Every structure is written in C-alpha cells, then in structure tokens.
Amino acid sequence: MFSGVKGGFLRSNISMTRRLFLMSFCLLVAFATLVGTVVPGFAQDQTAPAGQETIIDQAQEQIAQARKQMEGYRDQVEANRTDDLRLVDIKGKVDELGREVIKSTVTLRPRSDEIKGRLAELGDPPKDGQPPEAQIVTEERNRLIAERAQINAVIGDAENLSIDISTFSNAITEIRRQLFTDTLLKRTEVSFDLLGSVPAFLAHEAIQFQDTIGSWLAFVWKFKRIPLAVTIFLSLAAALVLLAGSYRVFGSYTRRDPTVTDPPYITRLAVAFWSTIIQTSALIAFLGLSYFFMSTFNVLRPDIVGFVLVSFAFIGLVYFVWKLTHAVLAPSEPNWRLVRISNRGAKFLVASVVVMAFVNGLDYQLSSISVMLGSAVELTVVKSLVASLIIGSILIVVSFAKPVLNRSGNPEDPGRPWPRYISIMLRLAGAALIAASLIGYIGLARFAATQIVLTGAVLSTMYIGILSGKAVSRQDAFAGTVLGRYLEQRYKLGSVALDQLGIAAGLGIYFIAFLTGIPLILLSWGFQPKDLEQWAVRLFTEITIGSISISLVGIFSGILIFAIGLLATRWFQKWLDGNVMARSHVDGGVRNSIRTGIGYVGVAIAGLIAVSAAGINLSSLALVAGALSLGIGFGLQNIVSNFVSGLILLVERPFKVGDWVVTGTTEGLVKRISVRATEIETFRRQTIIVPNSELINASVGNWTHRNRLGRQEIQVSAAYESDPREVIAILQEVLAANSAVLRNPEPIIEFLRFGESSLDFEMRFFLADLYQGTEVRTAIRIDIFERFREAGIEMPFPQRNLTVRFEDDNATTSSGKLSEALRMASSGSKPKPAEKLRPVDEAGMIKS
Amino acid sequence: MGSWGCRIIMERLFYAFLMASAFATTATAASVTNTDSQTVVLVVVEDGKRVEIELQPGDQQTICASGCFVTLPDGDRIGLEGGENVEIVNGSAVVK
C-alpha cells in the first residue's frame, strides 16, 4: 500500500527496475546456497601464500566497494525521499548488500582455519627456561599470527559495515513509514476556491489528453501499424487458445445448467470458481501479453506507458470483480446462488459492488492521466474527493438495502434487512469515508476505499474457498465431485475412504484459502513481503513458548520421515518376502517371523529418526525414559513380559502361523503372532487371543510343529460269528488301497477286545497331512462297510440276552401277569394302568 | 485499481507463492554448540545490533536468522550466512 498511495498520487513509476529486482531476488535465493558452498571450496584450493594474500585483499576490496556502494545508496535515498517505489527498490538492494558483505567474509574462513591448524601444530612459543626453537618456526608463527590478525581486522571491518548497513536499512524503513503517514494524513483544504479552479484545469487536461492520445495514435498509425496489429493478433490468439483449452478441460463446470432445479452446493461452488478463474485469467493473459508485445515492439511511447498499464489493470480488475460478484450472487439464477440473498438484493449488490470497483479504479485511472500530463495537483485531489464521496455514499445506500433472503425461502419475495452489525459497519465505513474526504484527508479516504474494494474481494474469495472446503468435507459430498468419482473408478475406493479423502480435501482447501488470502490481505495493507516471509519462516521454524521452542517444520518433517520410513519398511518387507524368501522356498513360519521382525525394527528406526528430525533431543528423552522405567517395571510388567514373550516366540518359533496348537484351554489354528498376544482360531471359528507370556510359560501342544504327520484311529466292530483273521485281512487291504495312508510308519490293526456284543478292532495309521484326516477316515469307513457287506461280515447291534427269574410264592401271579401282558400287547388292547409293564433294566430285573 | 493494481497484485501473488515454497527451503538459522567444559561468551552482531550470548558447557543455541558476525573467545571473528553448525572447541570455532 505504500507504493499504492504513492504510485497513484505522486508519480507513476513504471520502470522495470522493481521487476528486475524481483527476478534478481529469486535468482539470489536460488543460488545463495550454491554460491555459499562453491566459494569456500574454491578458496581452499589456493594454498600458495600469494593466493592467500589475494583472498584477504579481495575481501578487503569487496568490503571497501560495498561501503562505497552503500554511500551511493545513501545519496539515492536523499534524492528520492518522496518516491516510495524507489525507496523499496533501494532498501532491497541495501539488504542484499548486507548479505553480500557477510558472504565476502565467508571466503576467508578456510584460510583462517588453516592458520589456526598450523599454529596449533607449531605450538606455543618456548617459555623462559625452555630451549629456543628454530628461527624459521618463530618466523612462520609470527607471520601466521599477523595474517590472522589481518583477517580478524577485515572481518571486523565487515562487521562494522554490516552494522552501518542495517542501521541504514532501518532508516529507509523509517523514511517510508513517515512518507506513508504523511501521504495518508496529508490534509488538503477542501474549499470553494479549490473546487472553482477545477473546471478550468479539467478543460485544459481534457485538451491535453486528447492531444497526447491523438499524437500517440497518429504515431502508432504512421510507424507502428504492423507491430500493433501483430500485438493484437498474438495476444488475442494466446487468450483464445487459453480460453478454448480451459473450456475443453473445464467447460462442463463453467456453465450453469438452467434445467437443474436444485444443484448441490459443491457444484454451485465449482461453477462459480471455474467460471471466474477461466474467464478472468484469459482476459489477464490477453492484457498482459498485449502489454508485453507492445513494449517489446516499442508501440508504447514512454509518456503513454503509465496510462496504458493503468488502463489494463483497471479493465482487468473491474472485470474480475464483476465476474466474482456474478459468480457468488448469480443475480438471474437464484438456484445457483452461493449466499442466501433475495433476487432483488443480488441484483442490487452486484451493481453496487461493480460500481464501487469501477469508481475506485477510475480514480486511479484518472490520476494516472494527471500524472502523465503533469496536471495540477488540485485536479487529482478533486477527482479522488469525488471518488471517495461516491464510494462512501454507495456504502451507506447498501447498508439500508434489504437483500437477505426472506424467511419464506423464496428468492422472489422481498428480502429482509442486513444483520445489525453489518449494516452498522457499512454505515460507519461510508460515513468515515465521506467525512475524511470532506475534512481534507483525501489520501486516507482513498486508501480506505481501495482497501474496502480490494480486501473485500480477497475476503469474499477466501470465504468461497472456506465454504467449498466445508462443503467438500461434508459426509458423502466428496464422492459426488468429479475428482471423487474419478478416484472411485480409478482406484476402486470405498465410500469410507472417499469420505476420509473428502475431509482431507476440505482441510487442504481451508489451508490454501488461508495461505493465499491472509498474505494477500497483509500485503495490501502495506506489509512488506520480506517481513511476511520472515514471520512465516519464524512461525514455521521456531515458536518459542518460555524456554521451549517448537518448530512446526520440524514436527511436520518428523511425521513425514516417519511415514516415509513406514512405507519403506513395508516395501522392504514385501520385497524380501515376495522375492527373496518365496523364491528361496523359505518356510512360511520363518518368513512370517522375519517379516514381523523387520516390521518392528523398521518402525523403531523410523520412529527414532522422526523424533530426532522433529528436533526432540533423544538424550532428554532418555532421561524421561529412565524416570519412567521404574513405573514401567511395576505398572506395565505384564505388557512388557508379553512383549518380550512375543519376541521370543518370533525367534524361537515353537509354533508358526497356520499351526494346529493345543494350549491349556484352547485348540485351534494360529492365525497371527503379534507382539502382545497370539490369535488362535478354533475349529468353530472363534478367535481366541492368548497373551504371549502364557504361550511361553505354559506347555503348548503343536500338532504340526515339524511336519503335518499325524496318527489317525478308527474303531471297527465285527460280530462274534466272523473270523477275526479275515476281518484283519480286509482291514489291511482297505488301508493298503487308500493312497493317503502312509506305508511307513506302517499301519497297525489291533484286536482290541472281546466286546459285549462284538469283536472290537482298532486301525491305527499315519497320514502325511493331518488336515486330510476327516476325508480319509470317512473314505476308509465307507470302504470297510462295503467290504464287510461283500464278505458277509456282520457289524452287530448291541445284543441283550434277557433272563427272567421268578420267585416261588409269586410265581404264578407274576407269570400270569406277564403272559397276560404279552397276550394283550400282541392283541393290541391296552392293559390296565396298574398292570402296566414296568421297565426292565439291562440285568433283566424289573425296576420298582 | 491504479498503476499499482495489476503489477502489485501479480507481484504479491508471486510473493505468496514464493512464501509457500519458502517453507520448504528456508531454515537458515545457524546453531552454535559449546563443547568446552567452561562457559563461553560470544559477541553476535545481527541486524545491526551487538548482543552477547552466554553458552553453558554443552549448550546449543540458534542464532542468525539472516546472517551475522560472531566474535569468539579466542578473539577470532567469523561471518555466518545462516545454516551453519558451529561448534566451539577450545574457545575457537569449528564451522560445519
């Protein structure tokens, strides 16, 4: 803003110097480190005494030159005390000079180190009583000490110069601050004399303007006809290419589809954003290129340059404001509107804002004409006065408008008034503008008016950004966006992942909105880019609270390094597992152990590096760990013991993932061995989490420890009528016929016992894979059944021989009852309840 | 807006961009570590101000956000551009 006020009011300096400075600044930033590293390296090579002389001399020379340069700048500042643009320029150069001075001393460092090293080698001069040293040593030492003193003197010189330079730089800032306040607070008496003199000046200026423009046009027509045509053609072509290209890419997002009755908020925002950006950037490209080609082809005359540049800026800015207000307020398409404003309100606001921007721009445009023509200051003052009065009145009129959407929600209905604080703010701003300009503080009024327009535009853009961030991070909103749909198709993302991405995208948009908006506002308020840069650097590298200093960059880089370390570990794990170990036919359990082990090591290393990258001192962490270890010893005993047990499990591998284990209470397959606990899945698919320490301390049965070999048993019974040898032969044949049954160890068939109703046999055989047990057993049983049936061997049911004894005295009645019951049972009639048969137990005794 | 309008807005956008990129590149302060067993006092000239800094044994401090001159206990002077790591060994500076 320093430059803004000055640039418009006093002189419009359109020299390229500032731009050049900018470019050189970038280059310097880019190459500073390069130069810093190259120069000392170069100096180190010069070891010859003559070379050293040159280095010191060179540095001295450079410092002397810098001092001379600074004096030159001092004169320049004196000459340009009222020209803010020049002052900014000079200050930049002075600051750069300060850095140069420091840099010039850096070249001396290697030589200084060399001298120090050599002096240490030579040692101290002999003290009294010690034998004298060789003459040559004394001479060298003296020479080196002298040289060291010389270097220190040169650096001391540089130090003093750098103090001078800093003081001078601060003085320039002070001059600029003074200039700014002077310009802002300069009071011009607004009197009738002043106003009365304006018409004459105005007429004069109009004629002059006509002359100048006319002569320029004549000049262009006479000498620069073709360059002008080429200029217009080239810049128009470039703008059209840009426009066409961006329409091709974003075309569908820039048009409001009138058939859509209720477009989602995010679509509305996207359309608002892209339609503003594309069209404005095409126009800016056209204007910028036109200006570039015109100055390249010398179509512009020096007297006209300022006027043309201001006109272009004026057109570009008014167009931008116009597009922006249309994008936000959508005066003729209420369903596409971004804010809750009624139809009439939208139209009115668009008109007011555009008129304000136009008047404010025109103010600068007209003062550029005055500058070009060197008109009387009064004229500029009066123009600004009028502009400020118009803007102030518009603000007051707007404050009385009723643009807020009616409670009915219908944009056709007449709106409600502004919220109280907004209307009061608008009225105060308008009144202040008018009052300030009428009292005579026209600079201040103009500054404020520009701020209202400019800051307002930036703020409303930021606001759209924030709104869109909010809209994107709303549940399921991201999936509806173009990017969301693309990601969904391309990477087959689920709705949850998309939702999380939406939150991240929303945060990203907030971040961008604040990151660009706040610096823009601060810059327009007159802060220097350099200041902002330093603030930002300080904010991100060192926030000091008491004696603790936090570095955001450090923390972020720590997190980043941790993430990278984690990714690298995962990749390495995958690579080792998938390529090296899988190809080397390493056992699955070993692979799992190694993979898990590498995972823990990788995470630990990444964590340690990240912690140190975040700037947390590991030694101070060790102190905390020492203090905590006692607590850990007691409180986390179990967890630590489980952790250590887990490590032992990984190394010792009593079982591995996929093993069939039996612990005290559970039996199942090992699914996962993690640091604290092991997951075992039972055959009923219940997952049981067993703490590792239990697996280490208690006995664990493992069916598949070294191999999957396992014994199976099948019991078979045959009737007493059958021949046991035949039965055993059949069973042997059945086993021999089954390919899954191992021949070695040999299957065994044992004649188990003489059962109650059968001869019992047991087949014991081994399978290579325990997991086949069920199938094999079933197959063998079916075979046995079939073979027995063929051979006529009966598999008996339990047989009961019933022996009934009768007591002597009750014999007749009992036998009579029994025979009667049997008879009744066979004839189908029911016995009397009292005579119902009692159940008979196995021994044939009737239960009472 | 005015003669400054387009130019300055362009410049400022550019600066905003520069600033954003600056986060990644600029961490230019230098750090000084005292490896000696006694306290050392350094005279640091930064931004035109002369400041004395006391460093306890083993202490580390960050100085010079934008370049400075340091006078060491042994009387030597060095200029630092920022970004260097300086160790104080026996009263003299070892710049890394």
Side-chain angles (χ1 to χ4, degrees):
Chain A
M1 241 9 266
F2 289 110
S3 49
V5 173
K6 292 302 300 175
F9 243 59
L10 295 169
R11 204 167 67 82
S12 184
N13 187 339
I14 311 111
S15 71
M16 297 293 281
T17 42
R18 196 154 147 74
R19 225 169 277 220
L20 280 173
F21 163 62
L22 263 180
M23 285 169 68
S24 57
F25 172 72
C26 305
L27 284 174
L28 272 166
V29 168
F31 287 114
T33 43
L34 192 69
V35 173
T37 49
V38 167
V39 170
F42 175 66
Q44 242 157 2
D45 297 338
Q46 302 180 330
T47 43
Q52 293 140 16
E53 289 296 319
T54 339
I55 292 175
I56 298 175
D57 286 350
Q58 265 176 1
Q60 218 157 10
E61 178 79 2
Q62 276 176 349
I63 291 163
Q65 227 163 25
R67 190 173 284 283
K68 215 181 284 171
Q69 247 175 316
M70 195 194 70
E71 292 310 324
Y73 289 141
R74 223 186 267 279
D75 293 343
Q76 283 185 26
V77 168
E78 281 312 312
N80 295 292
R81 277 191 92 89
T82 51
D83 184 348
D84 192 65
L85 271 181
R86 285 290 299 145
L87 288 179
V88 173
D89 196 8
I90 296 169
K91 183 173 155 50
K93 283 180 187 158
V94 169
D95 289 345
E96 183 50 40
L97 190 65
R99 283 192 286 277
E100 296 269 322
V101 167
I102 291 177
K103 206 181 284 172
S104 69
T105 66
V106 170
T107 56
L108 295 172
R109 207 185 288 155
R111 180 59 194 154
S112 171
D113 288 345
E114 228 172 70
I115 293 172
K116 261 192 280 182
R118 184 71 189 130
L119 277 175
E121 276 171 17
L122 292 176
D124 292 335
K127 297 196 180 79
D128 294 337
Q130 281 176 334
E133 61 186 357
Q135 178 72 20
I136 190 164
V137 176
T138 317
E139 272 174 18
E140 189 181 355
R141 183 185 299 113
N142 289 344
R143 195 163 48 73
L144 288 175
I145 290 175
E147 200 182 332
R148 187 179 181 179
Q150 202 185 354
I151 289 177
N152 280 337
V154 170
I155 300 182
D157 241 14
E159 193 179 293
N160 288 335
L161 179 59
S162 95
I163 294 178
D164 286 351
I165 288 175
S166 300
T167 319
F168 179 46
S169 166
N170 293 343
I172 298 178
T173 311
E174 189 46 44
I175 293 174
R176 291 188 55 225
R177 190 169 297 142
Q178 197 57 45
L179 189 62
F180 179 64
T181 39
D182 282 355
T183 316
L184 271 195
L185 302 179
K186 189 172 150 199
R187 200 168 156 233
T188 319
E189 196 69 48
V190 180
S191 61
F192 285 107
D193 287 349
L194 179 72
L195 297 177
S197 61
V198 165
F201 284 131
L202 207 57
H204 179 66
E205 191 177 61
I207 293 167
Q208 250 190 324
F209 180 63
Q210 249 174 6
D211 281 355
T212 313
I213 295 293
S215 83
W216 177 61
L217 287 177
F219 156 78
V220 169
W221 185 248
K222 240 181 190 164
F223 303 108
K224 299 283 180 183
R225 217 176 306 171
I226 295 160
L228 183 68
V230 171
T231 297
I232 292 175
F233 173 74
L234 281 181
S235 30
L236 210 58
L240 281 178
V241 166
L242 185 70
L243 204 61
S246 32
Y247 267 118
R248 243 189 118 73
V249 181
F250 301 107
S252 51
Y253 318 124
T254 59
R255 275 184 292 275
R256 289 172 172 154
D257 186 353
T259 56
V260 180
T261 47
D262 190 18
Y265 199 74
I266 188 97
T267 316
R268 284 188 255 169
L269 278 168
V271 169
F273 182 74
W274 289 118
S275 62
T276 312
I277 289 287
I278 289 175
Q279 288 167 12
T280 313
S281 57
L283 182 75
I284 286 177
F286 170 68
L287 294 173
L289 282 173
S290 299
Y291 178 72
F292 173 74
F293 287 128
M294 276 164 125
S295 47
T296 315
F297 295 141
N298 289 326
V299 177
L300 296 173
R301 272 189 338 206
D303 57 340
I304 212 91
V305 169
F307 169 71
V308 170
L309 192 62
V310 175
S311 313
F312 283 3
F314 173 44
I315 295 170
L317 234 92
V318 170
Y319 183 76
F320 172 64
V321 170
W322 183 67
K323 284 306 296 182
L324 186 68
T325 46
H326 269 261
V328 177
L329 298 169
S332 47
E333 287 137 320
N335 46 348
W336 286 89
R337 205 164 287 156
L338 292 179
V339 281
R340 298 173 62 76
I341 297 282
S342 71
N343 277 356
R344 283 187 55 195
K347 279 187 190 124
F348 176 69
L349 281 182
V350 167
S352 323
V353 172
V354 172
V355 167
M356 268 199 285
F358 180 79
V359 169
N360 193 241
L362 194 66
D363 180 14
Y364 283 98
Q365 170 80 79
L366 290 177
S367 46
S368 85
I369 295 174
S370 295
V371 168
M372 178 176 77
L373 302 175
S375 313
V377 181
E378 287 88 339
L379 209 51
T380 320
V381 169
V382 171
K383 284 173 195 163
S384 289
L385 172 69
V386 173
S388 301
L389 288 179
I390 293 176
I391 292 176
S393 325
I394 292 178
L395 282 177
I396 291 179
V397 171
V398 166
S399 78
F400 284 104
K402 294 179 177 169
V404 180
L405 192 65
N406 196 290
R407 279 187 212 286
S408 66
N410 185 359
E412 298 287 340
D413 292 348
R416 286 176 293 142
W418 290 106
R420 201 147 190 81
Y421 65 98
I422 291 186
S423 60
I424 288 178
M425 239 163 55
L426 286 172
R427 257 167 250 175
L428 279 179
L433 273 187
I434 292 172
S437 50
L438 283 181
I439 297 169
Y441 291 109
I442 291 160
L444 185 66
R446 190 191 207 202
F447 175 72
T450 312
Q451 284 318 310
I452 288 167
V453 174
L454 196 74
T455 311
V458 175
L459 274 182
S460 49
T461 318
M462 251 170 90
Y463 184 60
I464 295 182
I466 290 166
L467 282 182
S468 46
K470 213 164 151 187
V472 163
S473 44
R474 203 165 291 152
Q475 185 131 29
D476 295 335
F478 187 65
T481 61
V482 181
L483 185 66
R485 276 197 294 271
Y486 171 76
L487 287 176
E488 195 178 357
Q489 280 172 3
R490 177 74 179 70
Y491 297 103
K492 310 260 178 290
L493 293 178
S495 63
V496 176
L498 275 178
D499 215 41
Q500 284 166 347
L501 272 181
I503 294 173
L507 283 179
I509 293 172
Y510 284 152
F511 189 65
I512 292 172
F514 281 108
L515 200 70
T516 49
I518 291 176
L520 278 177
I521 290 176
L522 288 178
L523 285 168
S524 75
W525 285 353
F527 290 99
Q528 282 304 301
K530 199 96 196 107
D531 295 334
L532 292 189
E533 197 184 306
Q534 270 190 4
W535 287 353
V537 168
R538 203 153 294 171
L539 181 70
F540 277 84
T541 54
E542 209 178 342
I543 305 166
T544 315
I545 304 161
S547 61
I548 306 165
S549 75
I550 301 165
S551 156
L552 285 184
V553 169
I555 291 170
F556 282 132
S557 55
I559 293 172
L560 196 70
I561 286 174
F562 185 69
I564 291 173
L566 221 57
L567 279 180
T569 311
R570 292 268 172 281
W571 172 83
F572 183 67
Q573 269 178 316
K574 229 182 208 170
W575 174 79
L576 197 70
D577 193 34
N579 285 331
V580 180
M581 292 199 292
R583 266 197 241 165
S584 324
H585 298 285
V586 178
D587 177 60
V590 181
R591 274 168 66 177
N592 180 57
S593 288
I594 292 179
R595 207 176 43 220
T596 318
I598 287 175
Y600 293 134
V601 171
V603 169
I605 292 176
L608 280 181
I609 297 176
V611 163
S612 56
I616 299 167
N617 199 344
L618 282 177
S619 59
S620 63
L621 219 64
L623 203 74
V624 177
L628 277 182
S629 56
L630 192 72
I632 289 172
F634 286 112
L636 302 177
Q637 203 179 19
N638 275 335
I639 292 179
V640 172
S641 117
N642 280 327
F643 178 77
V644 174
S645 303
L647 294 183
I648 294 173
L649 283 183
L650 285 179
V651 176
E652 193 185 300
R653 283 180 291 110
F655 51 79
K656 52 195 184 295
V657 170
D659 271 3
W660 177 345
V661 294
V662 185
T663 70
T665 49
T666 45
E667 175 169 6
L669 300 179
V670 176
K671 282 287 153 188
R672 191 163 165 247
I673 305 171
S674 59
V675 156
R676 197 197 68 80
T678 294
E679 286 175 24
I680 295 177
E681 193 181 86
T682 65
F683 297 108
R684 294 169 66 196
R685 302 284 171 204
Q686 178 193 28
T687 302
I688 293 171
I689 288 124
V690 185
N692 285 333
S693 58
E694 262 180 46
L695 295 171
I696 287 288
N697 294 330
S699 56
V700 177
N702 189 345
W703 278 107
T704 50
H705 184 43
R706 289 187 209 292
N707 46 47
R708 290 179 160 199
L709 195 78
R711 200 183 78 173
Q712 304 283 315
E713 294 97 18
I714 297 177
Q715 296 199 346
V716 184
S717 303
Y720 270 92
E721 289 78 33
S722 42
D723 174 10
R725 290 180 208 282
E726 192 193 351
V727 171
I728 289 176
I730 288 175
L731 294 180
Q732 267 167 347
E733 278 164 33
V734 167
L735 284 179
N738 196 307
S739 59
V741 174
L742 291 181
R743 306 287 164 262
N744 183 27
E746 216 181 346
I748 296 170
I749 294 163
E750 189 189 347
F751 190 169
L752 262 191
R753 67 179 82 83
F754 301 101
E756 280 177 15
S757 49
S758 59
L759 303 172
D760 293 342
F761 300 85
E762 187 170 75
M763 306 161 76
R764 299 187 190 126
F765 54 92
F766 290 86
L767 291 181
D769 186 357
L770 205 59
Y771 293 103
Q772 286 181 320
T774 325
E775 305 157 33
V776 174
R777 281 199 306 269
T778 307
I780 287 178
R781 283 196 184 106
I782 291 171
D783 282 352
I784 293 171
F785 182 73
E786 285 169 359
R787 291 296 304 276
F788 275 17
R789 187 171 277 186
E790 277 171 26
I793 297 170
E794 199 182 333
M795 295 173 106
F797 301 104
Q799 293 178 2
R800 294 283 178 271
N801 286 347
L802 192 67
T803 313
V804 184
R805 263 187 315 118
F806 297 108
E807 303 287 328
D808 283 343
D809 46 345
N810 289 331
T812 47
T813 46
S814 294
S815 69
K817 274 180 189 168
L818 188 67
S819 57
E820 190 190 354
L822 285 171
R823 189 175 46 76
M824 280 171 73
S826 60
S827 69
S829 63
K830 281 184 183 173
K832 284 174 216 159
E835 295 163 345
K836 207 173 176 178
L837 256 181
R838 296 216 177 115
V840 180
D841 72 5
E842 270 188 31
M845 297 296 285
I846 294 170
K847 286 181 179 172
S848 55
Chain B
M1 284 286 121
S3 71
W4 53 279
C6 172
R7 192 159 31 124
I8 292 208
I9 282 176
M10 279 304 157
E11 270 178 30
R12 286 173 183 183
L13 274 174
F14 166 70
Y15 267 119
F17 172 72
L18 243 194
M19 265 168 55
S21 57
F23 297 148
T25 53
T26 48
T28 55
S31 76
V32 188
T33 317
N34 180 13
T35 63
D36 285 357
S37 53
Q38 70 258 85
T39 307
V40 294
V41 177
L42 306 177
V43 182
V44 179
V45 173
E46 189 178 1
D47 281 340
K49 285 181 282 286
R50 210 181 281 269
V51 186
E52 286 193 1
I53 291 179
E54 199 182 280
L55 275 179
Q56 302 287 334
D59 260 12
Q60 187 179 32
Q61 269 206 21
T62 308
I63 54 171
C64 290
S66 52
C68 63
F69 291 96
V70 179
T71 308
L72 295 147
D74 67 354
D76 275 353
R77 287 191 165 106
I78 51 169
L80 296 177
E81 284 184 288
E84 294 101 333
N85 284 323
V86 183
E87 275 183 9
I88 302 203
V89 183
N90 296 329
S92 74
V94 179
V95 181
K96 285 175 183 167

